[in-house]
Short mmCIF file of all heavy atoms in Angstrom, two decimals:
data_model
loop_
_atom_site.label_atom_id
_atom_site.label_comp_id
_atom_site.label_asym_id
_atom_site.label_seq_id
_atom_site.Cartn_x
_atom_site.Cartn_y
_atom_site.Cartn_z
N GLN D 24 -48.39 97.67 150.14
CA GLN D 24 -48.05 98.83 149.30
C GLN D 24 -47.51 98.38 147.95
O GLN D 24 -47.78 98.99 146.91
CB GLN D 24 -47.00 99.70 150.02
CG GLN D 24 -47.60 100.48 151.18
CD GLN D 24 -46.53 101.18 152.02
OE1 GLN D 24 -45.47 100.62 152.28
NE2 GLN D 24 -46.83 102.40 152.44
N ARG D 25 -46.73 97.28 148.00
CA ARG D 25 -46.27 96.68 146.74
C ARG D 25 -47.46 96.30 145.84
O ARG D 25 -47.46 96.56 144.65
CB ARG D 25 -45.50 95.40 147.05
CG ARG D 25 -44.03 95.52 146.96
CD ARG D 25 -43.44 94.17 147.32
NE ARG D 25 -42.20 94.36 148.06
CZ ARG D 25 -41.07 94.76 147.46
NH1 ARG D 25 -41.04 94.95 146.16
NH2 ARG D 25 -39.98 94.95 148.17
N VAL D 26 -48.43 95.64 146.48
CA VAL D 26 -49.61 95.21 145.71
C VAL D 26 -50.29 96.42 145.06
O VAL D 26 -50.63 96.41 143.87
CB VAL D 26 -50.61 94.45 146.60
CG1 VAL D 26 -51.90 94.19 145.84
CG2 VAL D 26 -49.99 93.14 147.07
N LEU D 27 -50.45 97.48 145.86
CA LEU D 27 -51.08 98.68 145.31
C LEU D 27 -50.26 99.26 144.16
O LEU D 27 -50.79 99.70 143.14
CB LEU D 27 -51.28 99.73 146.40
CG LEU D 27 -52.36 99.39 147.43
CD1 LEU D 27 -52.47 100.47 148.49
CD2 LEU D 27 -53.70 99.18 146.74
N GLN D 28 -48.94 99.23 144.36
CA GLN D 28 -48.03 99.72 143.30
C GLN D 28 -48.24 98.91 142.01
O GLN D 28 -48.37 99.46 140.92
CB GLN D 28 -46.58 99.59 143.79
CG GLN D 28 -45.54 100.05 142.79
CD GLN D 28 -45.59 101.56 142.59
OE1 GLN D 28 -45.77 102.29 143.57
NE2 GLN D 28 -45.46 102.01 141.35
N GLY D 29 -48.29 97.60 142.19
CA GLY D 29 -48.48 96.71 141.03
C GLY D 29 -49.81 96.99 140.34
O GLY D 29 -49.89 97.09 139.11
N LEU D 30 -50.84 97.16 141.16
CA LEU D 30 -52.17 97.45 140.62
C LEU D 30 -52.13 98.75 139.82
O LEU D 30 -52.67 98.87 138.72
CB LEU D 30 -53.18 97.55 141.78
CG LEU D 30 -54.64 97.68 141.40
CD1 LEU D 30 -55.10 96.46 140.63
CD2 LEU D 30 -55.49 97.84 142.68
N LYS D 31 -51.46 99.74 140.43
CA LYS D 31 -51.39 101.04 139.78
C LYS D 31 -50.66 100.94 138.43
O LYS D 31 -51.11 101.48 137.42
CB LYS D 31 -50.65 102.04 140.69
CG LYS D 31 -50.89 103.49 140.32
CD LYS D 31 -50.15 104.42 141.27
CE LYS D 31 -49.10 105.20 140.50
NZ LYS D 31 -47.97 105.65 141.33
N ASN D 32 -49.54 100.21 138.44
CA ASN D 32 -48.79 100.07 137.19
C ASN D 32 -49.60 99.33 136.13
O ASN D 32 -49.62 99.72 134.96
CB ASN D 32 -47.47 99.33 137.43
CG ASN D 32 -46.47 100.23 138.13
OD1 ASN D 32 -46.73 101.41 138.36
ND2 ASN D 32 -45.33 99.65 138.50
N THR D 33 -50.26 98.26 136.56
CA THR D 33 -51.10 97.51 135.63
C THR D 33 -52.14 98.43 135.00
O THR D 33 -52.31 98.48 133.77
CB THR D 33 -51.79 96.35 136.35
OG1 THR D 33 -50.81 95.35 136.62
CG2 THR D 33 -52.89 95.73 135.49
N ALA D 34 -52.80 99.22 135.85
CA ALA D 34 -53.82 100.14 135.34
C ALA D 34 -53.19 101.19 134.43
O ALA D 34 -53.73 101.51 133.36
CB ALA D 34 -54.56 100.80 136.50
N THR D 35 -52.03 101.72 134.86
CA THR D 35 -51.38 102.77 134.07
C THR D 35 -51.02 102.26 132.67
O THR D 35 -51.29 102.92 131.66
CB THR D 35 -50.08 103.24 134.77
OG1 THR D 35 -50.41 103.58 136.11
CG2 THR D 35 -49.49 104.44 134.06
N ILE D 36 -50.41 101.08 132.64
CA ILE D 36 -50.01 100.53 131.34
C ILE D 36 -51.24 100.31 130.45
O ILE D 36 -51.24 100.68 129.28
CB ILE D 36 -49.25 99.19 131.53
CG1 ILE D 36 -47.94 99.44 132.26
CG2 ILE D 36 -48.97 98.54 130.17
CD1 ILE D 36 -47.27 98.18 132.76
N VAL D 186 -42.87 96.39 137.35
CA VAL D 186 -43.63 95.87 138.49
C VAL D 186 -45.11 95.96 138.17
O VAL D 186 -45.65 97.05 138.01
CB VAL D 186 -43.32 96.68 139.75
CG1 VAL D 186 -44.17 96.19 140.92
CG2 VAL D 186 -41.85 96.59 140.08
N ASP D 187 -45.77 94.81 138.06
CA ASP D 187 -47.21 94.84 137.83
C ASP D 187 -47.87 93.88 138.82
O ASP D 187 -47.20 93.32 139.70
CB ASP D 187 -47.53 94.43 136.39
CG ASP D 187 -47.34 92.95 136.18
OD1 ASP D 187 -46.33 92.42 136.70
OD2 ASP D 187 -48.20 92.32 135.55
N LEU D 188 -49.15 93.68 138.70
CA LEU D 188 -49.89 92.81 139.62
C LEU D 188 -49.24 91.43 139.71
O LEU D 188 -48.98 90.93 140.81
CB LEU D 188 -51.32 92.64 139.13
CG LEU D 188 -52.38 93.53 139.75
CD1 LEU D 188 -53.76 93.09 139.27
CD2 LEU D 188 -52.32 93.48 141.27
N VAL D 191 -45.78 91.41 141.62
CA VAL D 191 -45.78 91.59 143.08
C VAL D 191 -46.27 90.31 143.79
O VAL D 191 -45.69 89.91 144.80
CB VAL D 191 -46.61 92.80 143.56
CG1 VAL D 191 -45.95 94.08 143.13
CG2 VAL D 191 -48.03 92.76 143.10
N ILE D 212 -58.24 89.48 141.83
CA ILE D 212 -58.15 90.91 141.48
C ILE D 212 -58.34 91.12 139.97
O ILE D 212 -59.09 92.00 139.54
CB ILE D 212 -56.80 91.50 141.94
CG1 ILE D 212 -56.75 91.49 143.46
CG2 ILE D 212 -56.62 92.93 141.42
CD1 ILE D 212 -55.47 92.04 144.04
N LEU D 216 -61.40 93.24 138.27
CA LEU D 216 -61.14 94.34 137.32
C LEU D 216 -61.91 94.14 136.02
O LEU D 216 -62.60 95.02 135.53
CB LEU D 216 -59.64 94.42 137.00
CG LEU D 216 -58.72 95.11 138.00
CD1 LEU D 216 -57.28 95.06 137.50
CD2 LEU D 216 -59.16 96.56 138.19
#
Side-chain angles (χ1 to χ4, degrees):
Chain D
Q24 286 172 319
R25 257 179 216 286
V26 172
L27 289 179
Q28 180 69 40
L30 188 61
K31 198 179 116 206
N32 286 355
T33 288
T35 308
I36 295 167
V186 177
D187 74 317
L188 263 187
V191 292
I212 293 180
L216 279 179

